[in-house]
Amino acid sequence: MHQIIIIGSGPAGLTAGIYAARAGLEPVLFASSVEPGGELMNTTDVENFPGFPEGIQGPELMEKIQAQAERFGTKVLYNDVTELDLDGDVKRVTDADGTVHEAKAVVFATGSAYRKLGIADEDRLSGHGVSWCATCDGFFFREKTIAVIGGGDSAMEEANFLTRFASKVYVIHRRDSLKASKIMQQRAFDNEKIEFIWNAEVTAIHGETEATGVALRDTVTGESRDLDLDGVFIAIGNDPRTHLVHGKVELTTDGTIAVEGRSSKTSVPGVFAAGDVIDPSYRQAITAAGSGTVAALDAEHYLVALEDK
Ligand code: NAP
């Protein structure tokens, strides 16, 4: 039986790995089979993670954090967790191969998943001109006209990045002001290839086999119009990835996992949560890393108390 199993390989999970490993707990960490490293793997320049004054690429940062976790003995498994049995002193974690892994404590750091617009066309045309990841798919839109939907930091970052390839990038936002931080906004305003379409809601994505444009509804006047495009990038935020623990641990009204005060303690003893999956407000790589630290320390204290029981 393991002391601790960590689920998730973003900054929260891997930082929990660093701390747990240095505490001699020999953590086993489940990274996803398809997208290990979490959301930073789809990011380009990370300019706000302390310690990198010149900035660092998201994937490189994750590589370094993972190397640090492994250096102290975190065992990273590239597999998916499919089921959790969290009751009692022995937690059971089932992976995609059906293997059951037992541990005394579990840290849940599964992050968040891209939010969808909720229109049928986005799934139908996903991978055919509709994307959630500029760094993955931007290359396919060389000299094309594309749109980014959203008004937050992600949308600004994607739009700026996509101007490296596309000849024109529209930013379509449902209001007349942005949610993004001032510096990210200014960078987008200063970019000649970016044009903003304000107060506009995407009601449909056109195209039979490839996206050819969108239908827009003006949120002020109610008027509709079509916009021809070669590609659509959706960057409207994320939702916490909690499906594995539904009905097993308490959630908040925001849909995040509920934790006790500033701790990582969930409603189930021995189960700790960290990172975006508990955070409806800050959601930064560095806050996730800090949160992973809290989870590892809480788990360590729990394990000591369990020994004494
Ligand atoms: P976000 O801050 O929640 O912004 C989501 C944006 O999408 C908002 O402008 C929102 O509109 C819009 N939106 C949400 N649902 C929509 C829908 N159904 N249809 C149309 N528009 C919709 O999400 P985010 O931009 O992904 O950022 C998440 C967190 O990561 C933030 O804390 C952000 O600071 C951080 N982040 C930081 C960086 C960086 O510093 N380099 C980069 C990326 C992300 P409203 O404005 O009307 O609500």
Side-chain angles (χ1 to χ4, degrees):
M1 168 152 31
H2 302 293
Q3 293 289 312
I4 181 168
I5 289 179
I6 299 165
I7 305 168
S9 54
L14 285 171
T15 306
I18 295 172
Y19 274 75
R22 290 191 76 253
L25 299 175
E26 300 178 339
V28 169
L29 184 147
F30 279 92
S32 153
S33 61
V34 279
E35 41 185 25
E39 215 176 315
L40 281 185
M41 298 302 282
N42 300 326
T43 307
T44 49
D45 303 302
V46 179
E47 295 179 330
N48 48 15
F49 200 92
F52 299 96
E54 313 301 332
I56 184 167
Q57 296 291 299
E60 194 190 345
L61 177 61
M62 293 321 298
E63 217 173 272
K64 283 180 185 291
I65 301 178
Q66 180 169 336
Q68 197 171 349
E70 288 180 317
R71 179 183 153 207
F72 297 109
T74 302
K75 187 172 173 200
V76 177
L77 302 178
Y78 295 96
N79 204 338
D80 298 303
V81 172
T82 54
E83 215 184 313
L84 292 171
D85 178 359
L86 301 173
D87 294 332
D89 285 349
V90 179
K91 318 296 179 194
R92 290 184 181 81
V93 176
T94 307
D95 68 24
D97 304 323
T99 306
V100 179
H101 307 255
E102 290 186 341
K104 294 177 186 166
V106 169
V107 171
F108 203 76
T110 48
S112 55
Y114 298 127
R115 195 172 288 155
K116 292 186 175 182
L117 289 169
I119 52 179
D121 301 323
E122 66 186 323
D123 283 335
R124 186 174 61 82
L125 293 168
S126 171
H128 300 277
V130 174
S131 171
W132 281 263
C133 177
T135 46
C136 316
D137 300 327
F139 185 77
F140 302 117
F141 295 89
R142 213 168 265 286
E143 297 305 318
K144 304 279 189 198
T145 299
I146 58 182
V148 174
I149 303 166
D153 280 336
S154 296
M156 297 311 109
E157 187 171 282
E158 302 254 299
N160 269 308
F161 176 73
L162 287 165
T163 59
R164 293 188 197 179
F165 310 100
S167 51
K168 171 99 189 170
V169 178
Y170 291 99
V171 172
I172 301 171
H173 184 37
R174 62 184 178 184
R175 295 187 295 121
D176 64 357
S177 63
L178 297 170
K179 188 177 175 186
S181 56
K182 287 282 175 267
I183 186 169
M184 303 287 278
Q185 292 195 18
Q186 200 53 51
R187 215 169 275 170
F189 291 146
D190 291 344
N191 192 320
E192 285 174 0
K193 284 187 177 178
I194 296 178
E195 182 178 331
F196 283 82
I197 300 178
W198 302 105
N199 299 318
E201 191 179 62
V202 175
T203 53
I205 304 172
H206 301 311
E208 285 296 314
T209 52
E210 290 289 325
T212 56
V214 292
L216 297 176
R217 192 185 71 85
D218 190 305
T219 54
V220 178
T221 64
E223 275 169 31
S224 294
R225 67 166 170 129
D226 285 333
L227 177 69
D228 289 341
L229 296 166
D230 300 305
V232 180
F233 286 80
I234 301 167
I236 58 171
N238 303 273
D239 291 311
R241 226 185 250 123
T242 54
H243 61 281
L244 281 172
V245 293
H246 279 179
K248 297 180 179 176
V249 304
E250 248 173 54
L251 302 183
T252 67
T253 49
D254 292 314
T256 52
I257 294 179
V259 288
E260 212 180 291
R262 296 175 60 219
S263 81
S264 65
K265 294 176 195 166
T266 71
S267 56
V268 178
V271 179
F272 305 88
D276 278 9
V277 81
I278 65 165
D279 181 2
S281 1
Y282 301 107
R283 307 163 66 95
Q284 304 295 305
I286 190 67
T287 52
S291 170
T293 305
V294 171
L297 294 175
D298 286 342
E300 198 186 332
H301 294 150
Y302 169 82
L303 289 168
V304 170
L306 199 66
E307 284 298 307
D308 295 343
K309 213 160 119 176

